[in-house]
Amino acid sequence: MLVVSVVMYAVCATHWALSMATVVRWSTVGNVVIPPSEVVALIYLPAVNYFFSDGIVLWRAWVLWNRRFTLFIPPLIFLLCTLVTSIASAAFAYEGFTTKSVRKMNISYALKWCIWGFSICTNFWSTCLIFIRVWYVSPALVDVYCMMGRVL
């Protein structure tokens, strides 16, 4: 879990730094040509973060539900759709940026809405599973603490 947290932090910090550098260059110089390596990083870094953040929430629910696979088929499908759509969106955005194709950029923007939708579905399903599990387990925990003489 520590490794995933460090990777997510590094991805966020890198994306933020590249975004700010682009904004500063654009505001001081005007019309700036962004190097292709920075374009690729600005496009793909958010996709990595979406996948990891959704995966963490899904993993927490998975652990709470004692690894019952059948409950996790829908969120796993949503997570896979988030990954595939993120890759497709980034590919269209890169192609649109390098070839100056408005159509490909529009497809990329439409796919970003799909990414957010799949991410919301993954998070909603996983959070509901976590809520249900905690709701039914917490009364038992309250009884254990009361028997031990502790107050929550």
Side-chain angles (χ1 to χ4, degrees):
M1 187 57 107
L2 177 64
V3 172
V4 172
S5 296
V6 168
V7 168
M8 285 183 67
Y9 175 78
V11 166
C12 284
T14 305
H15 185 260
W16 183 83
L18 284 173
S19 298
M20 290 299 108
T22 303
V23 167
V24 167
R25 272 189 259 147
W26 180 76
S27 65
T28 57
V29 178
N31 197 1
V32 176
V33 176
I34 302 171
S37 59
E38 285 186 32
V39 172
V40 170
L42 286 170
I43 292 169
Y44 282 101
L45 287 176
V48 172
N49 233 6
Y50 290 141
F51 183 74
F52 277 135
S53 62
D54 290 348
I56 287 172
V57 175
L58 188 61
W59 174 77
R60 288 176 180 161
W62 171 265
V63 169
L64 282 175
W65 280 92
N66 297 324
R67 296 164 177 83
R68 292 186 188 169
F69 183 73
T70 55
L71 289 173
F72 292 92
I73 292 172
L76 284 172
I77 291 171
F78 291 137
L79 184 64
L80 182 63
C81 289
T82 302
L83 179 65
V84 170
T85 310
S86 296
I87 292 169
S89 174
F92 276 111
Y94 183 72
E95 281 293 316
F97 181 80
T98 56
T99 63
K100 307 286 191 252
S101 171
V102 176
R103 182 175 178 269
K104 289 183 180 180
M105 290 301 286
N106 287 339
I107 292 171
S108 174
Y109 291 134
L111 287 174
K112 286 182 184 180
W113 284 100
C114 294
I115 293 166
W116 293 328
F118 288 132
S119 181
I120 287 170
C121 289
T122 303
N123 280 295
F124 182 75
W125 190 281
S126 301
T127 304
C128 284
L129 287 173
I130 291 170
F131 174 76
I132 291 167
R133 190 62 170 185
V134 169
W135 183 265
Y136 287 110
V137 170
S138 60
L141 291 176
V142 170
D143 290 341
V144 169
Y145 278 108
C146 288
M147 288 182 353
M148 293 170 49
R150 297 182 180 167
V151 179
L152 292 177

